[in-house]
Amino acid sequence: MEEAVTTHGPNASEYIIHHLTHFNNLGEAQKSVFDLSVINFDTLFFSLFLGLLTVFLLARAARNATSGVPGRYQAAVEILVEMVADQAKGIVHSEQSRRFVAPLALTVFVWIFLMNAMDLLPVDLLPMLWQGAYSVAGADPHHAYLRVLPTADLNGTMGLSISVLLLCLWYNIKIKGFGGWVHELFSAPFGAHWALAPFNFAMQIIEFTAKTVSHGMRLFGNMYAGELIFMLIALMGGAWALSASGILLAIGHLISGTAWAIFHILIITLQAFVFMMLTLVYIGQAHESH
């Protein structure tokens, strides 16, 4: 007589680990949060998709803009444009540079806001659909990993901050000339003396590195923490049962989930704004001489 096989759902740690594992080229959890040998396909897909959505939304507003009384959508976009333009004007003093930097900052803000907003989706919604697709394809759904929040992946946020670094290097060379920038590397901040040149260069490299790392780490850390809290709240809902404690857990899940989602709207907006402002600040610093 065959023994019955009992199946059970994942425990709390297995649930968290599964939701923190990317769909990548390894097919498993990567060894570190920042690994250049790993390609996280879910981060790439959602980043590109939301980037294209950002371009579509902004292009639609520009294409349908009228000089008369604006509609609500046009008015909302105009408020964003004016806000970013005012910030750019106060930080980047070159009018010619602002023609590129201000639209770039607006795109960065909207793009990161949309990526952050993926955290407001129910934790299990897209992963369950992804597991269903695995089952239809005849694959093991337990290996259907998917993370939908690109900014909770340090590889993604560091890619954004490195892009800002490359722009800063470009503007350093464009504004000061290659020779002028190299001279600044070896003469600031301690002074233009040959004995101080190694220390000046070391400080410049440390400054570029620190700004780039902190730029990416700040966004990653805040969104990763928010993602974990949503997972813990989801565990409360998964632990409900027809008992006094189980019902209290279900009620707590609904109340805390709603409260955290409302508060998280402020966080995702603030983090997008901070990343945009630091982008403007770093590019503005590239226009200035020490």
Side-chain angles (χ1 to χ4, degrees):
M1 186 174 180
E2 295 183 359
E3 296 182 358
V5 178
T6 59
T7 60
H8 60 84
N11 57 36
S13 61
E14 291 172 342
Y15 177 85
I16 296 292
I17 291 173
H18 188 277
H19 277 280
L20 291 179
T21 304
H22 286 278
F23 172 48
N24 54 40
N25 57 317
L26 297 181
E28 57 185 12
Q30 60 198 73
K31 302 302 181 183
S32 64
V33 293
F34 184 60
D35 191 343
L36 296 178
S37 66
V38 178
I39 302 175
N40 293 330
F41 298 116
D42 42 15
T43 298
L44 285 175
F45 171 78
F46 288 110
S47 297
L48 290 174
F49 172 75
L50 294 172
L52 292 174
L53 179 60
T54 299
V55 173
F56 169 77
L57 292 175
L58 295 178
R60 179 173 176 267
R63 185 172 58 251
N64 297 331
T66 61
S67 57
V69 179
R72 287 177 294 180
Y73 179 67
Q74 180 181 336
V77 174
E78 286 180 352
I79 291 173
L80 286 178
V81 171
E82 291 176 3
M83 180 268 293
V84 175
D86 290 340
Q87 298 296 334
K89 189 174 182 180
I91 297 173
V92 181
H93 303 299
S94 171
E95 183 178 355
Q96 182 178 3
S97 296
R98 286 201 305 271
R99 295 175 185 174
F100 172 77
V101 173
L104 170 70
L106 175 64
T107 304
V108 165
F109 175 78
V110 177
W111 186 23
I112 293 181
F113 174 81
L114 291 178
M115 288 194 289
N116 291 349
M118 294 295 290
D119 208 14
L120 298 176
L121 293 175
V123 172
D124 292 303
L125 177 60
L126 293 183
M128 286 183 64
L129 295 176
W130 185 238
Q131 287 182 346
Y134 257 62
S135 299
V136 172
D140 186 358
H142 296 291
H143 296 289
Y145 302 116
L146 185 70
R147 291 186 69 181
V148 303
L149 184 59
T151 46
D153 180 7
L154 186 56
N155 297 276
T157 58
M158 285 302 297
L160 292 170
S161 64
I162 290 173
S163 299
V164 175
L165 171 65
L166 294 177
L167 279 172
C168 292
L169 297 179
W170 161 253
Y171 275 108
N172 268 296
I173 296 172
K174 180 181 179 182
I175 300 300
K176 305 165 187 175
F178 182 75
W181 178 56
V182 172
H183 174 75
E184 184 178 87
L185 285 177
F186 290 95
S187 62
F190 300 122
H193 190 280
W194 64 268
L196 298 175
F199 303 100
N200 288 325
F201 182 74
M203 288 299 296
Q204 291 279 352
I205 297 302
I206 291 173
E207 180 183 353
F208 280 120
T209 303
K211 289 193 297 187
T212 302
V213 172
S214 63
H215 201 189
M217 284 289 293
R218 180 181 290 103
L219 178 60
F220 160 75
N222 283 279
M223 298 313 301
Y224 186 83
E227 183 185 39
L228 280 178
I229 292 176
F230 272 121
M231 291 179 188
L232 294 175
I233 293 173
L235 283 173
M236 292 175 59
W240 79 278
L242 292 177
S243 63
S245 60
I247 293 174
L248 287 176
L249 280 174
I251 296 174
H253 163 76
L254 293 174
I255 296 175
S256 59
T258 302
W260 180 246
I262 294 172
F263 178 71
H264 207 56
I265 294 174
L266 174 62
I267 295 177
I268 64 178
T269 306
L270 181 61
Q271 290 306 311
F273 180 77
V274 169
F275 195 95
M276 179 203 73
M277 288 298 297
L278 288 176
T279 300
L280 288 173
V281 168
Y282 294 158
I283 294 177
Q285 289 176 346
H287 287 70
E288 301 172 357
S289 299
H290 289 276

